[in-house]
Amino acid sequence: MVEFSAIEKDEWVLTPEGTEIAKLGSHEARVFDAIPEGSEGISISDLAAKLGPSAKIGQGKAFQNKWVSKQGDKLVRMVPSITDTTKIQILEIQKNKTHEDPSVLKDLKRRKLIDKVKVLSYSAKKGVNFSTVIEKQETDLTVEMLQSGSWKTEKFKEYNFDAAGLPTKGGYLHPLLKVREEFQQIFFDMGFEEMPTYHYVDSSFWNFDALFIPQQHPARDLQDTFFIKDPAKAEELPECYKAVQKIHESGGFGSIGYRHKWSYEEAQKLVLRTHTTAVTGYVLYHLAQKLKPNPFKPIKMFSIDRVFRNESVDATHLAEFHQVEGIIADKDINLGSLISFMDTFFGKMGIKNLQFKPTYNPYTEPSMEIFSWHEGFGKWVEIGNSGLFRPELLRPLGVDPGVRVMGFGLSLERPTMIKYGIDNIRALVGHKVDLNMVERNPMCRLEKESSSRAFQHDFVED
Ligand SMILES: N[C@@H](Cc1ccccc1)C(=O)O
């Protein structure tokens, strides 16, 4: 409709000094003008007082042009009048943006009185298809156009392959990942290392037995645990199974044990791990193995990963969810340490005024449930479970006597739901994930790269 062309040309403009010359004349002309007519002349110092810096700059050229000469200590005029060529040239350039004589341009440029600039302008004129009405062109071929045959007469816009396109739907973190990152950051800030949470499938040995969970414990029921059909059993159990068997059957380290017959086959049964404490036991065992015979070093470790429970699914329960778990191993740990740690840890997430309630876990004693007051629900909400690991767990895995380990676990889903105001847990997983929710929620925006740090220890795979 319109033809246009770009016009690029060079233009000459005056520098500030050039502009000054356009107004006041060249330095040499100013020198000439400052000298009175006749033989009386002017002293150099009077000239300087009159003209300022121009006196010094202009003298040379004024001598060169034979406009002035020196008589005694005075400067006198040699000609009755002068033509200030520099000023004339400058004025012409100011007007025309150029000069017909290239040597003038070159000279004035050298004297820093003018400068060259590039100027881009456009010229536009009516094109062959010029019109004052704009006809909308089609962008895409549609099913309807094909069906009606209108595609034959329709006018199509050319594709613009240089167009930037619609913004892509990237750069968002799922709420679970976002909260997971926040937990990771808190752990890293507190000096924790991340545990390797390699496998969802683990032996009953690591999921239960090593944690001093008796073989007839209700949690091992098919109702609560997913057992693997094929393969159904771990090939062999680690060396420490003997110590674990002993603690279950006849006790030790001040414990009387469960006094039941411990079955190797039962411990071999593969399960989808029901808690990340399965990993914690495994990690403690391998750390203890690696450390020997060196003296004990305090440990702080955490894991955040998926666990599975055979639960009936409802608005707040899923058959799989994530656990956040942390342990601290040190010599002088007691219940007070655990309570104070929980206050600090949850405090970092903005959760204050915790309440603790005694509870029972086969692997910890004492054990405490952690509660927090939920303004929205108007009640105390359970947010975690914790305790001091029993010697029946620690000693068979090779942890030194005198070393205590405190641990705690919580779900990743609950704090995420509270924080994002999600009331149905199913909105967080699988094909039910509401991507609009993720996109709409400014809290999901990805601000920085994942801060995940690799696990430092190398482990032997069992
Ligand atoms: N494993 C526990 C959490 C926990 C971890 C460590 C110590 C005490 C408790 C659970 O499933 O809830």
Side-chain angles (χ1 to χ4, degrees):
M1 295 175 110
V2 173
E3 275 169 27
F4 79 99
S5 53
I7 307 160
E8 200 187 274
K9 61 173 189 215
D10 291 338
E11 278 186 0
W12 291 90
V13 292
L14 307 188
T15 63
E17 195 183 348
T19 312
E20 190 192 297
I21 287 171
K23 250 195 265 160
L24 305 174
S26 67
H27 300 290
E28 56 274 22
R30 275 182 262 171
V31 167
F32 181 85
D33 289 342
I35 300 172
E37 279 172 59
S39 56
E40 186 194 329
I42 190 170
S43 72
I44 309 262
S45 55
D46 284 352
L47 184 74
K50 216 167 160 184
L51 293 184
S54 282
K56 214 168 173 186
I57 308 167
Q59 274 177 57
K61 199 130 183 121
F63 280 121
Q64 214 182 352
N65 293 348
K66 299 202 163 48
W67 290 351
V68 302
S69 69
K70 224 169 169 188
Q71 262 168 35
D73 57 353
K74 302 267 172 125
L75 288 178
V76 291
R77 290 189 178 186
M78 283 179 79
V79 288
S81 68
I82 54 145
T83 311
D84 187 357
T85 325
T86 307
K87 180 178 172 177
I88 294 166
Q89 291 166 345
I90 289 270
L91 285 175
E92 194 185 326
I93 293 166
Q94 194 175 41
K95 195 166 142 231
N96 302 333
K97 312 285 181 211
T98 185
H99 195 280
E100 70 216 357
D101 182 353
S103 68
V104 169
L105 293 170
K106 206 174 147 199
D107 182 51
L108 294 178
K109 161 101 173 125
R110 188 185 48 78
R111 288 162 69 189
K112 295 196 166 64
L113 302 181
I114 59 170
D115 240 338
K116 193 159 81 174
V117 291
K118 279 206 185 310
V119 178
L120 183 66
S121 59
Y122 297 92
S123 109
K125 59 175 199 256
K126 291 179 184 174
V128 277
N129 293 327
F130 183 80
S131 162
T132 48
V133 285
I134 294 174
E135 192 184 338
K136 190 181 161 284
Q137 293 184 333
E138 296 297 335
T139 32
D140 289 312
L141 189 62
T142 63
V143 174
E144 290 72 31
M145 287 177 200
L146 290 172
Q147 282 169 343
S148 71
S150 71
W151 62 271
K152 288 179 205 155
T153 49
E154 220 65 80
K155 281 212 171 99
F156 289 93
K157 229 186 201 168
E158 261 180 66
Y159 276 111
N160 175 7
F161 293 106
D162 296 326
L166 292 175
T168 52
K169 292 186 174 183
Y172 294 93
L173 279 183
H174 189 279
L176 281 176
L177 286 176
K178 186 86 181 173
V179 176
R180 179 190 153 132
E181 273 236 340
E182 283 166 23
F183 274 119
Q184 274 178 319
Q185 211 44 61
I186 293 171
F187 277 119
F188 287 139
D189 287 348
M190 295 181 85
F192 279 73
E193 273 181 84
E194 194 158 7
M195 291 189 239
T197 44
Y198 315 123
H199 23 242
Y200 295 160
V201 175
D202 217 331
S203 60
S204 290
F205 178 79
W206 286 118
N207 199 74
F208 300 121
D209 298 278
L211 304 179
F212 199 53
I213 299 173
Q215 291 199 327
Q216 69 283 2
H217 191 277
R220 297 203 187 200
D221 204 308
L222 254 175
Q223 304 291 307
D224 297 287
T225 303
F226 290 116
F227 286 88
I228 306 295
K229 258 196 206 135
D230 186 17
K233 282 181 176 183
E235 278 172 13
E236 63 183 90
L237 299 180
E239 206 30 47
C240 63
Y241 89 83
K242 290 177 192 136
V244 170
Q245 172 168 21
K246 185 176 176 297
I247 202 83
H248 280 246
E249 288 185 342
S250 55
F253 317 107
S255 169
I256 57 167
Y258 290 123
R259 287 166 292 165
H260 65 59
K261 182 95 191 82
W262 187 85
S263 146
Y264 187 93
E265 287 71 35
E266 186 62 38
Q268 277 179 300
K269 286 185 182 167
L270 291 174
V271 299
L272 286 178
R273 67 173 174 225
T274 61
H275 53 180
T276 44
T277 314
V279 178
T280 298
Y282 176 89
V283 164
L284 280 173
Y285 172 59
H286 284 92
L287 282 180
Q289 296 292 300
K290 246 184 88 174
L291 206 63
K292 274 177 188 146
N294 299 315
F296 163 81
K297 271 199 300 214
I299 297 164
K300 288 184 186 179
M301 302 195 100
F302 77 95
S303 65
I304 305 174
D305 210 349
R306 194 168 295 207
V307 298
F308 307 84
R309 288 188 196 168
N310 195 356
E311 303 215 47
S312 42
V313 174
D314 63 26
T316 53
H317 292 89
L318 285 175
E320 56 178 275
F321 60 100
H322 294 76
Q323 274 192 333
V324 179
E325 174 149 332
I327 54 155
I328 297 180
D330 211 337
K331 292 226 154 134
D332 297 307
I333 281 178
N334 55 35
L335 193 61
S337 330
L338 183 56
I339 291 176
S340 111
F341 174 82
M342 289 302 156
D343 280 334
T344 317
F345 181 81
F346 284 101
K348 281 183 183 270
M349 292 200 307
I351 299 175
K352 302 205 161 65
N353 304 320
L354 301 181
Q355 294 268 312
F356 300 92
K357 184 174 129 186
T359 186
Y360 171 77
N361 296 316
Y363 39 91
T364 53
E365 181 61 36
S367 311
M368 299 184 305
E369 281 171 357
I370 308 154
F371 285 79
S372 134
W373 177 258
H374 192 281
E375 226 19 92
F377 303 159
K379 62 172 186 184
W380 290 95
V381 178
E382 193 204 324
I383 53 170
N385 183 5
S386 66
L388 293 176
F389 285 118
R390 299 181 75 114
E392 289 99 322
L393 178 161
L394 297 175
R395 302 296 302 280
L397 298 183
V399 177
D400 283 354
V403 173
R404 285 185 181 168
V405 181
M406 63 189 195
F408 68 99
L410 57 129
S411 92
L412 184 63
E413 279 76 1
R414 170 148 309 165
T416 305
M417 288 170 75
I418 293 173
K419 188 160 178 181
Y420 288 83
I422 297 165
D423 52 14
N424 189 338
I425 195 166
R426 282 170 280 203
L428 281 176
V429 288
H431 65 284
K432 291 270 172 57
V433 172
D434 178 358
L435 282 180
N436 288 328
M437 167 196 77
V438 176
E439 275 165 21
R440 269 196 321 267
N441 201 320
M443 288 194 289
C444 295
R445 221 154 272 157
L446 190 59
E447 283 126 21
K448 55 181 167 57
E449 301 243 318
S450 163
S451 56
S452 246
R453 263 167 252 180
F455 185 68
Q456 311 276 313
H457 299 267
D458 35 292
F459 282 85
V460 202
E461 280 265 13
D462 279 339

mmCIF file of all heavy atoms in Angstrom, residues 332-361:
data_model
loop_
_atom_site.group_PDB
_atom_site.id
_atom_site.type_symbol
_atom_site.label_atom_id
_atom_site.label_comp_id
_atom_site.label_asym_id
_atom_site.label_seq_id
_atom_site.Cartn_x
_atom_site.Cartn_y
_atom_site.Cartn_z
ATOM 1 N N ASP A 332 25.574 -34.539 72.577
ATOM 2 C CA ASP A 332 24.778 -34.017 73.682
ATOM 3 C C ASP A 332 23.381 -33.600 73.249
ATOM 4 O O ASP A 332 22.975 -32.461 73.430
ATOM 5 C CB ASP A 332 25.507 -32.842 74.341
ATOM 6 C CG ASP A 332 26.812 -33.298 74.948
ATOM 7 O OD1 ASP A 332 26.789 -34.266 75.733
ATOM 8 O OD2 ASP A 332 27.861 -32.712 74.603
ATOM 9 N N ILE A 333 22.652 -34.542 72.678
ATOM 10 C CA ILE A 333 21.310 -34.210 72.199
ATOM 11 C C ILE A 333 20.277 -34.723 73.197
ATOM 12 O O ILE A 333 20.422 -35.819 73.755
ATOM 13 C CB ILE A 333 21.087 -34.842 70.811
ATOM 14 C CG1 ILE A 333 21.788 -33.979 69.750
ATOM 15 C CG2 ILE A 333 19.608 -34.961 70.490
ATOM 16 C CD1 ILE A 333 21.668 -34.555 68.371
ATOM 17 N N ASN A 334 19.243 -33.925 73.452
ATOM 18 C CA ASN A 334 18.149 -34.377 74.305
ATOM 19 C C ASN A 334 16.830 -33.821 73.789
ATOM 20 O O ASN A 334 16.807 -33.166 72.739
ATOM 21 C CB ASN A 334 18.393 -33.980 75.767
ATOM 22 C CG ASN A 334 18.635 -32.477 75.892
ATOM 23 O OD1 ASN A 334 18.044 -31.686 75.154
ATOM 24 N ND2 ASN A 334 19.509 -32.095 76.808
ATOM 25 N N LEU A 335 15.760 -34.046 74.531
ATOM 26 C CA LEU A 335 14.444 -33.614 74.076
ATOM 27 C C LEU A 335 14.391 -32.092 73.894
ATOM 28 O O LEU A 335 13.759 -31.581 72.971
ATOM 29 C CB LEU A 335 13.385 -34.064 75.103
ATOM 30 C CG LEU A 335 11.936 -33.979 74.634
ATOM 31 C CD1 LEU A 335 11.689 -34.857 73.428
ATOM 32 C CD2 LEU A 335 11.004 -34.364 75.785
ATOM 33 N N GLY A 336 15.098 -31.368 74.797
ATOM 34 C CA GLY A 336 15.143 -29.901 74.700
ATOM 35 C C GLY A 336 15.754 -29.458 73.381
ATOM 36 O O GLY A 336 15.284 -28.498 72.753
ATOM 37 N N SER A 337 16.823 -30.176 72.943
ATOM 38 C CA SER A 337 17.464 -29.823 71.659
ATOM 39 C C SER A 337 16.453 -29.950 70.533
ATOM 40 O O SER A 337 16.398 -29.117 69.629
ATOM 41 C CB SER A 337 18.631 -30.741 71.333
ATOM 42 O OG SER A 337 19.273 -31.223 72.465
ATOM 43 N N LEU A 338 15.668 -31.027 70.592
ATOM 44 C CA LEU A 338 14.700 -31.299 69.526
ATOM 45 C C LEU A 338 13.647 -30.188 69.486
ATOM 46 O O LEU A 338 13.348 -29.648 68.417
ATOM 47 C CB LEU A 338 14.053 -32.669 69.760
ATOM 48 C CG LEU A 338 13.072 -33.152 68.700
ATOM 49 C CD1 LEU A 338 13.701 -33.180 67.321
ATOM 50 C CD2 LEU A 338 12.554 -34.551 69.053
ATOM 51 N N ILE A 339 13.122 -29.830 70.670
ATOM 52 C CA ILE A 339 12.087 -28.791 70.730
ATOM 53 C C ILE A 339 12.642 -27.467 70.229
ATOM 54 O O ILE A 339 12.015 -26.768 69.430
ATOM 55 C CB ILE A 339 11.539 -28.655 72.172
ATOM 56 C CG1 ILE A 339 10.738 -29.921 72.530
ATOM 57 C CG2 ILE A 339 10.677 -27.398 72.326
ATOM 58 C CD1 ILE A 339 10.214 -29.964 73.941
ATOM 59 N N SER A 340 13.854 -27.140 70.673
ATOM 60 C CA SER A 340 14.402 -25.846 70.269
ATOM 61 C C SER A 340 14.729 -25.846 68.774
ATOM 62 O O SER A 340 14.530 -24.849 68.083
ATOM 63 C CB SER A 340 15.615 -25.492 71.139
ATOM 64 O OG SER A 340 16.799 -25.543 70.405
ATOM 65 N N PHE A 341 15.175 -26.985 68.259
ATOM 66 C CA PHE A 341 15.440 -27.059 66.815
ATOM 67 C C PHE A 341 14.146 -26.841 66.023
ATOM 68 O O PHE A 341 14.116 -26.105 65.035
ATOM 69 C CB PHE A 341 16.065 -28.406 66.427
ATOM 70 C CG PHE A 341 16.204 -28.541 64.938
ATOM 71 C CD1 PHE A 341 17.277 -27.965 64.276
ATOM 72 C CD2 PHE A 341 15.225 -29.192 64.191
ATOM 73 C CE1 PHE A 341 17.392 -28.042 62.887
ATOM 74 C CE2 PHE A 341 15.324 -29.267 62.802
ATOM 75 C CZ PHE A 341 16.408 -28.696 62.157
ATOM 76 N N MET A 342 13.069 -27.487 66.469
ATOM 77 C CA MET A 342 11.781 -27.370 65.768
ATOM 78 C C MET A 342 11.312 -25.916 65.744
ATOM 79 O O MET A 342 10.809 -25.439 64.729
ATOM 80 C CB MET A 342 10.713 -28.213 66.478
ATOM 81 C CG MET A 342 10.925 -29.675 66.308
ATOM 82 S SD MET A 342 10.927 -30.075 64.562
ATOM 83 C CE MET A 342 11.855 -31.543 64.607
ATOM 84 N N ASP A 343 11.498 -25.225 66.895
ATOM 85 C CA ASP A 343 11.105 -23.810 66.954
ATOM 86 C C ASP A 343 11.866 -22.996 65.909
ATOM 87 O O ASP A 343 11.283 -22.189 65.198
ATOM 88 C CB ASP A 343 11.374 -23.242 68.359
ATOM 89 C CG ASP A 343 10.268 -23.624 69.337
ATOM 90 O OD1 ASP A 343 9.124 -23.869 68.864
ATOM 91 O OD2 ASP A 343 10.538 -23.698 70.553
ATOM 92 N N THR A 344 13.159 -23.244 65.807
ATOM 93 C CA THR A 344 13.981 -22.500 64.835
ATOM 94 C C THR A 344 13.582 -22.849 63.418
ATOM 95 O O THR A 344 13.362 -21.982 62.575
ATOM 96 C CB THR A 344 15.475 -22.851 65.018
ATOM 97 O OG1 THR A 344 15.769 -22.873 66.401
ATOM 98 C CG2 THR A 344 16.361 -21.855 64.296
ATOM 99 N N PHE A 345 13.484 -24.157 63.158
ATOM 100 C CA PHE A 345 13.220 -24.624 61.797
ATOM 101 C C PHE A 345 11.884 -24.089 61.274
ATOM 102 O O PHE A 345 11.811 -23.484 60.215
ATOM 103 C CB PHE A 345 13.234 -26.159 61.775
ATOM 104 C CG PHE A 345 12.984 -26.742 60.414
ATOM 105 C CD1 PHE A 345 14.007 -26.833 59.487
ATOM 106 C CD2 PHE A 345 11.719 -27.202 60.066
ATOM 107 C CE1 PHE A 345 13.783 -27.374 58.223
ATOM 108 C CE2 PHE A 345 11.479 -27.738 58.802
ATOM 109 C CZ PHE A 345 12.521 -27.832 57.885
ATOM 110 N N PHE A 346 10.831 -24.311 62.049
ATOM 111 C CA PHE A 346 9.515 -23.850 61.583
ATOM 112 C C PHE A 346 9.422 -22.329 61.625
ATOM 113 O O PHE A 346 8.727 -21.724 60.819
ATOM 114 C CB PHE A 346 8.391 -24.506 62.383
ATOM 115 C CG PHE A 346 8.153 -25.932 61.966
ATOM 116 C CD1 PHE A 346 8.648 -26.984 62.722
ATOM 117 C CD2 PHE A 346 7.472 -26.212 60.799
ATOM 118 C CE1 PHE A 346 8.448 -28.297 62.324
ATOM 119 C CE2 PHE A 346 7.269 -27.527 60.395
ATOM 120 C CZ PHE A 346 7.762 -28.570 61.160
ATOM 121 N N GLY A 347 10.138 -21.715 62.571
ATOM 122 C CA GLY A 347 10.188 -20.254 62.654
ATOM 123 C C GLY A 347 10.679 -19.656 61.353
ATOM 124 O O GLY A 347 10.194 -18.619 60.911
ATOM 125 N N LYS A 348 11.634 -20.333 60.719
ATOM 126 C CA LYS A 348 12.181 -19.834 59.449
ATOM 127 C C LYS A 348 11.132 -19.849 58.342
ATOM 128 O O LYS A 348 11.276 -19.199 57.326
ATOM 129 C CB LYS A 348 13.399 -20.663 59.031
ATOM 130 C CG LYS A 348 14.660 -20.263 59.779
ATOM 131 C CD LYS A 348 15.853 -21.050 59.277
ATOM 132 C CE LYS A 348 17.100 -20.729 60.064
ATOM 133 N NZ LYS A 348 17.867 -19.611 59.497
ATOM 134 N N MET A 349 10.095 -20.662 58.540
ATOM 135 C CA MET A 349 9.017 -20.676 57.545
ATOM 136 C C MET A 349 7.865 -19.764 57.984
ATOM 137 O O MET A 349 6.808 -19.759 57.367
ATOM 138 C CB MET A 349 8.462 -22.080 57.385
ATOM 139 C CG MET A 349 9.444 -23.030 56.744
ATOM 140 S SD MET A 349 8.568 -24.437 56.070
ATOM 141 C CE MET A 349 7.657 -24.946 57.493
ATOM 142 N N GLY A 350 8.072 -19.069 59.090
ATOM 143 C CA GLY A 350 7.030 -18.166 59.572
ATOM 144 C C GLY A 350 6.006 -18.871 60.449
ATOM 145 O O GLY A 350 4.950 -18.339 60.750
ATOM 146 N N ILE A 351 6.304 -20.109 60.850
ATOM 147 C CA ILE A 351 5.363 -20.834 61.717
ATOM 148 C C ILE A 351 5.864 -20.745 63.159
ATOM 149 O O ILE A 351 6.939 -21.247 63.478
ATOM 150 C CB ILE A 351 5.224 -22.306 61.269
ATOM 151 C CG1 ILE A 351 4.677 -22.357 59.837
ATOM 152 C CG2 ILE A 351 4.337 -23.076 62.234
ATOM 153 C CD1 ILE A 351 4.625 -23.749 59.252
ATOM 154 N N LYS A 352 5.087 -20.054 64.002
ATOM 155 C CA LYS A 352 5.544 -19.826 65.389
ATOM 156 C C LYS A 352 4.579 -20.496 66.371
ATOM 157 O O LYS A 352 3.575 -21.058 65.977
ATOM 158 C CB LYS A 352 5.632 -18.325 65.634
ATOM 159 C CG LYS A 352 6.593 -17.659 64.642
ATOM 160 C CD LYS A 352 7.176 -16.363 65.160
ATOM 161 C CE LYS A 352 8.433 -15.997 64.385
ATOM 162 N NZ LYS A 352 8.217 -15.707 62.971
ATOM 163 N N ASN A 353 4.924 -20.430 67.673
ATOM 164 C CA ASN A 353 4.084 -20.994 68.734
ATOM 165 C C ASN A 353 3.716 -22.459 68.483
ATOM 166 O O ASN A 353 2.553 -22.803 68.311
ATOM 167 C CB ASN A 353 2.784 -20.193 68.887
ATOM 168 C CG ASN A 353 3.077 -18.733 69.136
ATOM 169 O OD1 ASN A 353 4.001 -18.407 69.877
ATOM 170 N ND2 ASN A 353 2.315 -17.862 68.495
ATOM 171 N N LEU A 354 4.715 -23.306 68.445
ATOM 172 C CA LEU A 354 4.455 -24.736 68.247
ATOM 173 C C LEU A 354 4.005 -25.361 69.563
ATOM 174 O O LEU A 354 4.330 -24.870 70.642
ATOM 175 C CB LEU A 354 5.734 -25.432 67.768
ATOM 176 C CG LEU A 354 6.358 -24.932 66.462
ATOM 177 C CD1 LEU A 354 7.595 -25.766 66.135
ATOM 178 C CD2 LEU A 354 5.349 -25.001 65.327
ATOM 179 N N GLN A 355 3.250 -26.435 69.430
ATOM 180 C CA GLN A 355 2.893 -27.245 70.598
ATOM 181 C C GLN A 355 3.347 -28.670 70.314
ATOM 182 O O GLN A 355 3.334 -29.113 69.165
ATOM 183 C CB GLN A 355 1.374 -27.235 70.799
ATOM 184 C CG GLN A 355 0.807 -25.882 71.173
ATOM 185 C CD GLN A 355 0.735 -25.698 72.686
ATOM 186 O OE1 GLN A 355 0.248 -26.562 73.408
ATOM 187 N NE2 GLN A 355 1.222 -24.563 73.148
ATOM 188 N N PHE A 356 3.750 -29.352 71.365
ATOM 189 C CA PHE A 356 4.259 -30.714 71.188
ATOM 190 C C PHE A 356 3.407 -31.692 71.986
ATOM 191 O O PHE A 356 3.025 -31.397 73.114
ATOM 192 C CB PHE A 356 5.722 -30.786 71.634
ATOM 193 C CG PHE A 356 6.612 -29.855 70.849
ATOM 194 C CD1 PHE A 356 6.872 -28.567 71.299
ATOM 195 C CD2 PHE A 356 7.169 -30.267 69.647
ATOM 196 C CE1 PHE A 356 7.680 -27.699 70.564
ATOM 197 C CE2 PHE A 356 7.978 -29.405 68.902
ATOM 198 C CZ PHE A 356 8.232 -28.125 69.366
ATOM 199 N N LYS A 357 3.139 -32.835 71.395
ATOM 200 C CA LYS A 357 2.303 -33.824 72.071
ATOM 201 C C LYS A 357 3.019 -35.166 72.035
ATOM 202 O O LYS A 357 3.473 -35.587 70.961
ATOM 203 C CB LYS A 357 0.970 -33.918 71.327
ATOM 204 C CG LYS A 357 -0.040 -34.821 71.966
ATOM 205 C CD LYS A 357 -1.352 -34.717 71.218
ATOM 206 C CE LYS A 357 -1.851 -36.094 70.848
ATOM 207 N NZ LYS A 357 -3.039 -36.037 70.006
ATOM 208 N N PRO A 358 3.143 -35.841 73.167
ATOM 209 C CA PRO A 358 3.822 -37.145 73.158
ATOM 210 C C PRO A 358 3.094 -38.110 72.233
ATOM 211 O O PRO A 358 1.875 -38.069 72.132
ATOM 212 C CB PRO A 358 3.725 -37.630 74.607
ATOM 213 C CG PRO A 358 3.323 -36.443 75.400
ATOM 214 C CD PRO A 358 2.621 -35.497 74.484
ATOM 215 N N THR A 359 3.846 -38.949 71.552
ATOM 216 C CA THR A 359 3.222 -39.938 70.667
ATOM 217 C C THR A 359 4.089 -41.197 70.672
ATOM 218 O O THR A 359 5.037 -41.298 71.460
ATOM 219 C CB THR A 359 3.055 -39.367 69.234
ATOM 220 O OG1 THR A 359 2.327 -40.310 68.453
ATOM 221 C CG2 THR A 359 4.391 -39.120 68.565
ATOM 222 N N TYR A 360 3.757 -42.136 69.817
ATOM 223 C CA TYR A 360 4.540 -43.364 69.770
ATOM 224 C C TYR A 360 5.001 -43.677 68.350
ATOM 225 O O TYR A 360 4.219 -43.663 67.412
ATOM 226 C CB TYR A 360 3.708 -44.551 70.293
ATOM 227 C CG TYR A 360 4.415 -45.867 70.060
ATOM 228 C CD1 TYR A 360 5.488 -46.261 70.883
ATOM 229 C CD2 TYR A 360 4.066 -46.697 68.994
ATOM 230 C CE1 TYR A 360 6.173 -47.440 70.640
ATOM 231 C CE2 TYR A 360 4.747 -47.881 68.759
ATOM 232 C CZ TYR A 360 5.800 -48.244 69.581
ATOM 233 O OH TYR A 360 6.477 -49.394 69.345
ATOM 234 N N ASN A 361 6.287 -43.900 68.176
ATOM 235 C CA ASN A 361 6.838 -44.478 66.947
ATOM 236 C C ASN A 361 7.709 -45.647 67.390
ATOM 237 O O ASN A 361 8.406 -45.531 68.394
ATOM 238 C CB ASN A 361 7.777 -43.505 66.225
ATOM 239 C CG ASN A 361 7.086 -42.265 65.726
ATOM 240 O OD1 ASN A 361 6.005 -42.332 65.162
ATOM 241 N ND2 ASN A 361 7.709 -41.116 65.939
#
